[in-house]
Amino acid sequence: MTLIQRIVGVATAALALLSLWQLESARKGLSIVPLDAGQTPATIYRQPDSNGPIVVIAHGFAGSRQLMEAFALTLARAGYTAISFDFQGHGRNPAPMSGDITQVDGTTRLLVAETAAVIDAAQQRLGCASEPVALLGHSMATDIIVRQAIADSRVRAVVAVSMYSEAVTAEAPQRLLVITGAWEPGLRRVALAALRLIDPGASEGQTVSDPRSGILRRAVVSPAVEHVGVLYSATSLREARAWIDGAFGRESSGPVTATGGWIALLLGCIVALAWPLSTLLPEGRRAPDRPIASTFTLATVLPAVLTPLLLYPLDLRVLPVLVADYLVLHLLLYGLMALALLGWRGVRFGRLALVPSAALVAFGLGVFALALDRYAASFLPHAERIPVILVLMLGAVPFMLADSVLTEAGRAPLWRRGAARLAFLASLSIAVALDFERLFFLIIVLPVFVLFFVIFGLMGRWVGQRSGTAMAPGLALGVILAWALGVTFPLVAV
């Protein structure tokens, strides 16, 4: 271990501990306990012995309670009883999404009913039946909470973050705040349109009202954030708290719980810590083979083009996760084709090296995954997801083995590493273009792969450089990729 690696190790460990202290301090003094809401996993956040109004918090598509925790902590600190839950098919919820996800009378209706059931369970648990509540939701959930507010007289205020909903009219919901990230131009237009149903001349940042109907509406923009960053913006948290305060005649002050920066620092430190820790692994004596330019081009371009074309006629729907059936086949065919071409051109894959592989899996699915699951997003599978992960490994392992050989276990020049990953993303894009209606949700998968290559790919690179074999990071990253895909996307009824 070099001096620089020692310094990095000490510095990142210290910053990680500081981040942990800050994140745990944000929870300190609050009562955070489960709520029995049938099959729906839910959590109550509040100050001990507090009886403040209930605010039910709902996450967006492929989200979970953890993603919404900044709002839950902020509102609990303000004296509210925050209730956060996992929709069907999401997070820890074992029940798959059912119904037609494209129809209001399908999945949407069922999720609205689930939201109502959570409100009922919370009021029964807290002994405040029929008391007014507020609803807060993000992305997909904004349509759910808007429809619930229109149908439920108990709902006094709605906070819709990154909203899109065809249910918003000039008459309902009665009290609506729309928060949008500055880097969400399309959703900003949606928010402004909702405002201008009341006042055609309204602009962002204004609060408009209709005294005759009692309608009150506001649209605000959180600066320098996108679809996920908007959930951690101090502007979002302050605006949501103030809007709910106004609905209940309360007044809150003090800082909001904007934990996003500390979460990013913690996860970044964990990734960086993998660099000095990799030097503790057995050192390989031989560098992986470098495919010549023609071999690299052939094994990169041919699978990227042929895989979506060969799979286009197939329509397999067995796994209870959106587009998982197609992903398994795409990853498997892509990986096997690339490995076959590389082997045909004489590229050696290197030794297996189980110790570095096991260490990378343990670090990625232990340290990193546990931190991510506690503070940012559901990343630990429940029993129903484990078979899905195992099936996904059938495709993910060959694909990541091929990726590792092409990138020389992380030793390849940056342009080669980038080209190999971009070719795969292009391959998925071709698949979507060929069958947009069936494979639309692959568009949502693309950012997951980008994050995977940036985060876990970097850790795999350090392990590959140390072990000297493409097999070590390839095998481990295949397992981690299958895990990441298996826990991220919603379960659906097959």
Side-chain angles (χ1 to χ4, degrees):
M1 186 182 296
T2 66
L3 177 60
I4 293 177
Q5 288 173 319
R6 291 178 187 274
I7 293 172
V8 169
V10 172
T12 53
L15 288 172
L17 289 174
L18 174 62
S19 303
L20 283 170
W21 181 77
Q22 291 286 348
L23 291 168
E24 289 301 316
S25 295
R27 293 164 161 247
K28 189 176 181 180
L30 295 178
S31 170
I32 303 176
V33 297
L35 169 67
D36 183 4
Q39 269 196 306
T40 304
T43 303
I44 304 174
Y45 297 78
R46 61 174 173 167
Q47 294 179 10
D49 303 321
S50 171
N51 59 353
I54 291 173
V55 182
V56 174
I57 301 171
H59 60 79
F61 185 83
S64 61
R65 286 168 291 174
Q66 293 95 318
L67 196 61
M68 305 299 293
E69 193 167 69
F71 285 103
L73 296 173
T74 293
L75 293 169
R77 292 269 177 221
Y80 292 97
T81 301
I83 311 292
S84 192
F85 70 99
D86 290 339
F87 277 120
Q88 289 180 1
H90 293 74
R92 300 285 199 277
N93 197 323
M97 293 176 70
S98 54
D100 187 342
I101 61 175
T102 66
Q103 299 295 321
V104 172
D105 288 337
T107 304
T108 298
R109 177 179 57 82
L110 298 175
L111 298 184
V112 170
E114 187 173 26
T115 304
V118 170
I119 297 173
D120 294 339
Q123 289 192 329
Q124 182 178 2
R125 164 75 176 270
L126 301 168
C128 55
S130 302
E131 290 293 317
V133 301
L135 301 180
L136 186 152
H138 175 236
S139 193
M140 173 193 78
T142 58
D143 187 46
I144 307 302
I145 63 171
V146 164
R147 294 178 188 278
Q148 177 63 26
I150 292 171
D152 191 342
S153 61
R154 295 172 295 181
V155 179
R156 181 171 290 183
V158 175
V159 178
V161 185
S162 302
M163 184 188 78
Y164 61 94
S165 175
E166 295 180 354
V168 175
T169 67
E171 292 77 34
Q174 191 167 39
R175 188 183 183 100
L176 172 66
L177 167 67
V178 186
I179 303 172
T180 314
W183 299 338
E184 299 183 285
L187 296 181
R188 287 177 65 175
R189 290 191 290 271
V190 172
L192 194 55
L195 205 64
R196 287 178 175 172
L197 289 172
I198 310 303
D199 180 357
S203 59
E204 292 174 328
Q206 285 187 313
T207 302
V208 300
S209 63
D210 182 351
R212 295 171 298 175
S213 62
I215 292 288
L216 193 65
R217 198 161 289 179
R218 177 171 170 80
V220 295
V221 177
S222 294
V225 291
E226 31 56 63
H227 199 61
V228 174
V230 68
L231 298 174
Y232 299 100
S233 166
T235 298
S236 300
L237 299 170
R238 282 194 299 266
E239 288 281 352
R241 185 179 66 181
W243 189 256
I244 296 171
D245 276 348
F248 289 100
R250 297 163 66 95
E251 186 174 345
S252 302
S253 60
V256 293
T257 313
T259 54
W262 292 112
I263 294 171
L265 180 60
L266 173 62
L267 297 179
C269 286
I270 291 174
V271 173
L273 196 58
W275 182 40
L277 288 178
S278 67
T279 63
L280 302 178
L281 297 172
E283 186 174 8
R285 297 180 180 179
R286 177 182 182 141
D289 280 4
R290 169 164 293 183
I292 61 174
S294 60
T295 299
F296 175 84
T297 302
L298 183 68
T300 300
V301 175
L302 203 59
V305 174
L306 289 183
T307 299
L309 295 177
L310 292 172
L311 294 180
Y312 172 68
L314 298 180
D315 187 7
L316 184 65
R317 302 187 185 185
V318 178
L319 294 177
V321 171
L322 284 172
V323 299
D325 305 280
Y326 181 83
L327 265 179
V328 171
L329 295 175
H330 196 108
L331 290 167
L332 177 62
L333 183 57
Y334 193 108
L336 291 179
M337 196 181 306
L339 288 171
L341 290 168
L342 289 165
W344 173 56
R345 298 297 290 263
V347 177
R348 290 172 295 186
F349 301 160
R351 58 195 176 86
L352 189 56
L354 290 177
V355 172
S357 290
L360 180 53
V361 169
F363 192 78
L365 298 183
V367 180
F368 187 89
L370 288 174
L372 183 65
D373 187 84
R374 180 164 178 81
Y375 300 115
S378 180
F379 209 71
L380 297 180
H382 51 74
E384 286 76 6
R385 289 187 180 270
I386 292 175
V388 177
I389 294 172
L390 294 176
V391 174
L392 282 166
M393 284 184 193
L394 297 176
V397 170
F399 167 71
M400 287 311 307
L401 285 172
D403 175 85
S404 190
V405 175
L406 281 168
T407 60
E408 303 161 47
R411 298 190 185 205
L414 179 60
W415 73 267
R416 279 202 177 196
R417 286 181 275 132
R421 276 71 186 269
L422 286 174
F424 174 72
L425 297 178
S427 184
L428 288 181
S429 299
I430 293 171
V432 175
L434 289 172
D435 194 348
F436 184 81
E437 183 177 350
R438 180 169 66 96
L439 300 178
F440 165 78
F441 286 103
L442 281 178
I443 295 173
I444 303 172
V445 175
L446 294 179
V448 175
F449 277 103
V450 172
L451 288 173
F452 177 84
F453 289 138
V454 170
I455 295 171
F456 293 106
L458 187 58
M459 291 191 280
R461 183 186 179 201
W462 291 324
V463 170
Q465 289 175 334
R466 178 68 178 181
S467 64
T469 172
M471 295 289 282
L475 178 60
L477 291 177
V479 173
I480 296 172
L481 176 59
W483 181 292
L485 293 172
V487 300
T488 299
F489 291 92
L491 291 173
V492 293
V494 178

